[in-house]
Amino acid sequence: MSNWEDIVARVEAGERLSADDALALWQQAPLWRLGELAVKKKRSISGDKVFYNKNFHLEPTNTCVFNCKFCSFRRPKGSPEAWDMSMEEVEQLVRSYEGRGVTEVHIVGGVHPEHGLDYYCDMIRRVKAIMPHVAIKAFTAVELAYMIRKAGLTIEAGLQLLKEAGMESIPGGGAEIFDEKIRAEICPGKCSSAEWLEMHEKAHKLGFDSNATMLYGHIESVEHRVDHLMRLRELQDKTGGLNAFIPLKYRNFGNSMSEIGEVPITDDLRTLAMSRLILDNVPHIKAYWVMYGKQTTEMALAFGADDIDGTIDDSTKIYSMAGADDQRPRMSVEQMREMVERAGFRAVERDTHYNEIGYEE
């Protein structure tokens, strides 16, 4: 294994990290040095810009056929804490955001045993009928695999129907950790890592762009994180369809893995920096403020992140139910811009596809 200082020299010379070098750098280099390298890489890609958007989340149900050990969101059917929004409730929620400058609707939820592809295509059409100008980013690869398989269609045919209904982009959830032994332990029954990667690859070929995630800070090792990132880099080499990578911190409230605890902020920052350095072909690294909290998100901008997500407006419960610091997640545009400026960067509003909408000079 190489000395970390030798690896740093090669990174600064523009060489691509191998898995072995990435592991050595992750484990050996001082955090401050990783921050320097990651910010330099970030500036070479997006300059002094940090992106945000105006969005809200639609989480139609928290009933799910899977029972992942890390999940604090899922409730079994019949639970008093379960919900399953009617189409009328979906439409009411969407109408409440009319005239507020929203450019994206983010739709994810549990994998409901009774809902299929036609149901979700109808949901997308209803959202677009109310907000024809917004981009719909919807359904993790896990949700997609279930609904498309249930419909008896090929991946391509199922995705095409969703595209015709108005879906434009795919979020990055469900990736968790790609190592199958870890996956079998924390999310048994869920789609495999190969299926997740195949879903995104085929979506890219049909013209969708997507994000990718990694759930870290539970029973996985740094070796597993490096392997996960390398597989994403390989996918991006093939398709170029990934817009952003989002490292997702395991939060330990209200799930069956709570005894594990949570990793410290230093691990969060190291993971962000190494993600920026390994994923040299993915344009954006997102520090999802709802998960990290506002203070850590601001620090993340000094470790290679160039996106903080969006306004949210208290429309997601996935992380608040897991014990995130902000139980009513919302940030105004002014707050996001102030955060970015304090960190020494320039806030730029974007749409789902990272087209710039405007920024303050």
Side-chain angles (χ1 to χ4, degrees):
M1 188 177 287
S2 300
N3 178 282
W4 71 266
E5 291 174 315
D6 295 334
I7 300 168
V8 165
R10 295 202 298 274
V11 169
E12 291 185 319
E15 290 187 24
R16 188 174 234 195
L17 284 169
S18 68
D20 286 343
D21 283 349
L23 181 61
L25 195 62
W26 201 314
Q27 294 178 326
Q28 297 175 19
L31 182 58
W32 66 266
R33 193 69 175 98
L34 290 181
E36 283 187 345
L37 287 172
V39 169
K40 184 177 180 181
K41 183 64 177 177
K42 170 257 183 288
R43 287 188 181 277
S44 74
I45 296 170
S46 54
D48 65 346
K49 300 172 185 176
V50 169
F51 297 94
Y52 70 91
N53 70 342
K54 295 175 185 173
N55 65 346
F56 70 93
H57 286 223
L58 168 57
E59 295 166 351
T61 184
N62 66 342
T63 298
C64 189
V65 298
F66 302 114
N67 191 13
C68 301
K69 291 183 179 180
F70 57 80
C71 184
S72 307
F73 177 76
R74 182 254 190 196
R75 296 292 184 271
K77 187 178 179 183
S79 165
E81 296 179 317
W83 70 78
D84 185 16
M85 296 172 70
S86 68
M87 287 297 181
E88 290 71 26
E89 289 172 324
V90 168
E91 291 176 333
Q92 182 179 6
L93 175 65
V94 175
R95 286 195 183 95
S96 73
Y97 286 93
E98 286 185 289
R100 294 166 64 176
V102 168
T103 61
E104 176 185 284
V105 182
H106 181 119
I107 308 176
V108 295
V111 181
H112 196 288
E114 297 170 8
H115 298 328
L117 185 62
D118 290 343
Y119 173 90
Y120 289 111
C121 285
D122 182 39
M123 182 181 293
I124 290 171
R125 283 191 290 266
R126 288 171 183 250
V127 173
K128 288 294 281 188
I130 297 168
M131 286 188 162
H133 63 286
V134 303
I136 296 180
K137 182 170 70 179
F139 313 127
T140 67
V142 177
E143 294 171 90
L144 293 168
Y146 185 87
M147 69 176 76
I148 291 171
R149 188 182 305 116
K150 186 176 180 180
L153 298 175
T154 64
I155 290 174
E156 292 87 347
L159 288 173
Q160 186 61 40
L161 288 176
L162 289 161
K163 186 175 184 179
E164 290 169 2
M167 191 173 91
E168 294 182 25
S169 187
I170 298 173
E176 322 313 358
I177 282 286
F178 286 149
D179 181 87
E180 290 299 346
K181 289 182 180 178
I182 300 293
R183 208 172 179 82
E185 178 66 24
I186 67 172
C187 51
K190 217 170 197 178
C191 75
S192 69
S193 55
E195 289 172 320
W196 190 99
L197 290 161
E198 180 188 21
M199 184 66 70
H200 282 256
E201 180 175 353
K202 289 185 173 178
H204 296 166
K205 290 179 179 178
L206 284 172
F208 293 97
D209 52 27
S210 72
N211 293 336
T213 62
M214 175 179 71
L215 182 71
Y216 71 92
H218 42 91
I219 65 171
E220 91 292 352
S221 66
V222 172
E223 287 88 346
H224 294 131
R225 297 186 202 179
V226 170
D227 170 69
H228 187 100
L229 292 166
M230 287 293 175
R231 294 199 215 187
L232 290 176
R233 192 172 76 178
E234 182 180 354
L235 170 66
Q236 185 73 340
D237 280 343
K238 287 182 184 177
T239 69
L242 293 175
N243 277 335
F245 171 71
I246 309 112
L248 296 175
K249 178 176 184 168
Y250 165 69
R251 304 302 298 251
N252 74 334
F253 179 80
N255 59 63
S256 62
M257 291 168 54
S258 294
E259 72 282 357
I260 291 173
E262 296 179 3
V263 296
I265 290 173
T266 51
D267 198 350
D268 301 331
L269 300 177
R270 188 171 290 268
T271 300
L272 282 158
M274 287 304 304
S275 299
R276 178 63 288 165
L277 296 174
I278 294 171
L279 296 175
D280 53 16
N281 54 0
V282 176
H284 306 288
I285 303 295
K286 181 183 293 188
Y288 183 41
W289 72 263
V290 174
M291 175 198 66
Y292 282 130
K294 298 179 180 73
Q295 289 184 328
T296 302
T297 298
E298 187 170 332
M299 284 191 285
L301 301 182
F303 289 85
D306 75 337
D307 188 285
I308 57 174
D309 202 79
T311 46
I312 305 292
D313 195 40
D314 192 23
S315 59
T316 179
K317 293 183 172 61
I318 291 175
Y319 269 95
S320 60
M321 290 171 71
D325 297 338
D326 199 331
Q327 290 295 294
R328 300 291 301 273
R330 56 162 57 90
M331 257 211 288
S332 68
V333 168
E334 291 73 21
Q335 288 173 315
M336 287 189 288
R337 287 178 171 166
E338 288 170 4
M339 173 192 291
V340 171
E341 289 165 5
R342 281 195 303 267
F345 295 99
R346 181 168 49 126
V348 178
E349 185 182 352
R350 61 163 177 86
D351 66 12
T352 298
H353 311 291
Y354 283 85
N355 299 305
E356 295 181 17
I357 295 174
Y359 54 84
E360 294 292 327
E361 291 290 353

